[in-house]
Amino acid sequence: MADLLIADDHPIFLAGLRSFLQAHGHHVVAQVGTASEAIRTLKSIKPDVLMVDFHMPDGGGLQVLTHVREAGIELPVIFLSVGIDGKNILDALRLGVNGLVLKNNEPQSLVECIDAVTRGEDWFESAMIEALIAYQQRPDTRAGDIESCLRQLSGREREIAVCAASAARNREIAQKFDITEGTVKVHLYHIYRKLGISSRGELMLMLAGISKT
């Protein structure tokens, strides 16, 4: 179970979301309707996860995430959105967002995302990663630099890195290569260490110009 702070400016959506999450064992400790309220509320409560609507009238997700990271507040942040373009996804990843979930997806996706980020993992919708890849595949993409990064990895590490950067879950990667999820985590540990990064989000940023295999 996770204690959640939710920021969204749609009251009906908020009410339904709260009921759904509590039915799945989570506890909504506070819900607010603006970015400024979210920032204010974080001064008085310490949730396990912060969930923020990307688009809100007074700034939305990026404003809240910027405040959280600059203040050194260590908690997972999940963005909810009906749609987000590649540039904004790139900005969110650079700021250290932990999860990206589309509001029109199956509700279970949000439960999976919360479970993942509370375990210390990142979780991203494949559609959003496709948007990021499309944005990064511009004529000025530095493919040579990307290939240089990948040459540091073994063949299996490269395969797993590309899968992970395309938003494949550890379970899906394990099934694809007929290995255990524990082995996937070990490979990811070595990939992160060799590339000098610490999260799947950073891996996505580094390899976003590579077509999925």
Side-chain angles (χ1 to χ4, degrees), residues 47-48 68-69 71-77 98:
D48 297 318
V68 166
R69 298 308 183 221
I73 301 173
E74 295 185 4
L75 84 162
V77 177
N98 304 96

Side-chain angles (χ1 to χ4, degrees), residues 164-181:
S166 300
R169 317 294 179 222
N170 288 356
R171 179 180 66 255
E172 295 168 340
I173 296 172
Q175 291 171 347
K176 179 174 182 177
F177 297 110
D178 195 24
I179 57 180
T180 67
E181 288 189 57

Side-chain angles (χ1 to χ4, degrees), residues 153-188:
L153 308 178
S154 69
R156 177 48 56 87
E157 288 171 348
R158 177 181 175 127
E159 291 172 334
I160 289 175
V162 173
C163 285
S166 300
R169 317 294 179 222
N170 288 356
R171 179 180 66 255
E172 295 168 340
I173 296 172
Q175 291 171 347
K176 179 174 182 177
F177 297 110
D178 195 24
I179 57 180
T180 67
E181 288 189 57
T183 301
V184 173
K185 291 178 180 178
V186 171
H187 279 303
L188 287 172

Side-chain angles (χ1 to χ4, degrees), residues 14 26 51-52 56 64 83 93 95-96 112 142 156 177 180 209:
L14 263 179
H26 297 296
M51 298 169 53
V52 188
M56 288 191 290
V64 177
L93 289 173
L95 286 169
E112 292 179 12
R142 299 170 67 185
R156 177 48 56 87
F177 297 110
T180 67

Side-chain angles (χ1 to χ4, degrees), residues 137-154:
Q137 287 180 333
R138 302 164 307 191
D140 60 341
T141 296
R142 299 170 67 185
D145 287 353
I146 295 170
E147 288 300 321
S148 177
C149 289
L150 287 181
R151 280 196 292 272
Q152 302 177 62
L153 308 178
S154 69

Side-chain angles (χ1 to χ4, degrees), residues 1 30 41 94 142 162 180 192:
M1 183 185 80
T41 303
R94 284 174 171 164
R142 299 170 67 185
V162 173
T180 67
Y192 295 165

Side-chain angles (χ1 to χ4, degrees), residues 2-65:
D3 289 339
L4 310 172
L5 167 58
I6 306 175
D8 193 289
D9 63 328
H10 297 90
I12 295 177
F13 173 78
L14 263 179
L17 180 60
R18 182 183 190 125
S19 297
F20 171 76
L21 291 172
Q22 293 188 158
H24 283 77
H26 297 296
H27 179 215
V28 179
V29 295
Q31 58 186 53
V32 298
T34 67
S36 56
E37 285 180 290
I39 292 170
R40 239 182 354 258
T41 303
L42 284 171
K43 296 177 181 178
S44 58
I45 68 170
K46 297 184 182 300
D48 297 318
V49 179
L50 171 61
M51 298 169 53
V52 188
D53 187 359
F54 185 81
H55 298 285
M56 288 191 290
D58 67 334
L62 289 178
Q63 178 180 327
V64 177
L65 181 58

